[in-house]
Amino acid sequence: MHEHDEYLYFLRRAFDGMLGALEELGDDLGNTAPHLPGANSPYAIAYHCVAVADYWLGHVIAGRRIDRDRASEFTAKGDVQHLRTQVDALFDRLQADLREVLPSQPPRNTPSDDSEGPDRPLSVQGVQLHVLEELAQHHGQVQITRDLLRAGAPA
């Protein structure tokens, strides 16, 4: 067992929860935002989480080049099966990204000014905690949004 396996286990639980909520909703409702100011669809939230993990773990920690359009993540639309495939591919990349890093070392890249992450320098472990923080928060957001949409809140 690699030292990052347990960390990836918890990330996978968050993604599986989001994907499960999307499967419950189906693609139509999954791509629907509730009628609330600034609300996003459950699909867009989960899609954003793929980009968050890829950017922070793949780019910031591991140094992979990532072309990210953060603003477009919140308007993304698609089907849950394709998103599940993207999550599986993400985890393949993350296994490789984290294999050679130590929690105490500095990340290879500094986050961009528009990344909206913590406002202090982070170690590899700090970046990992930030990603877990984001995924846990958004997992709950997807569940609440699912509940609103299933209850028939006007979209």
Side-chain angles (χ1 to χ4, degrees):
M1 182 159 147
H2 191 273
E3 67 181 290
H4 295 289
D5 289 347
E6 192 167 46
Y7 174 72
L8 290 174
Y9 165 79
F10 283 99
L11 294 189
R12 190 69 205 216
R13 283 174 46 95
F15 274 113
D16 285 347
M18 287 184 263
L19 292 167
L22 283 166
E23 288 168 348
E24 287 176 39
L25 287 171
D27 290 333
D28 286 342
L29 272 180
N31 283 288
T32 302
H35 191 66
L36 298 168
N40 302 110
S41 74
Y43 181 91
I45 298 164
Y47 182 89
H48 166 68
C49 287
V50 172
V52 164
D54 208 24
Y55 175 78
W56 284 92
L57 300 174
H59 175 70
V60 175
I61 286 179
R64 272 193 295 112
R65 178 161 164 66
I66 305 280
D67 291 321
R68 183 177 182 200
D69 179 359
R70 188 177 184 283
S72 72
E73 294 164 15
F74 299 101
T75 58
K77 293 188 180 298
D79 67 87
V80 67
Q81 291 311 316
H82 180 67
L83 189 59
R84 186 174 286 282
T85 301
Q86 289 179 304
V87 169
D88 291 342
L90 170 69
F91 274 82
D92 290 342
R93 291 189 302 274
L94 296 181
Q95 284 282 356
D97 289 338
L98 297 177
R99 189 171 295 127
E100 302 300 322
V101 299
L102 299 172
S104 61
Q105 73 185 67
R108 291 195 176 128
N109 287 316
T110 301
S112 67
D113 291 337
D114 63 349
S115 65
E116 296 197 19
D119 59 357
R120 57 174 266 187
L122 299 172
S123 65
V124 164
Q125 185 176 34
V127 173
Q128 288 177 310
L129 289 170
H130 172 59
V131 172
L132 184 58
E133 167 192 46
E134 288 293 313
L135 267 57
Q137 169 185 291
H138 289 311
H139 178 195
Q141 184 182 11
V142 167
Q143 291 174 320
I144 290 169
T145 305
R146 174 206 56 204
D147 295 347
L148 284 170
L149 292 169
R150 287 174 65 191

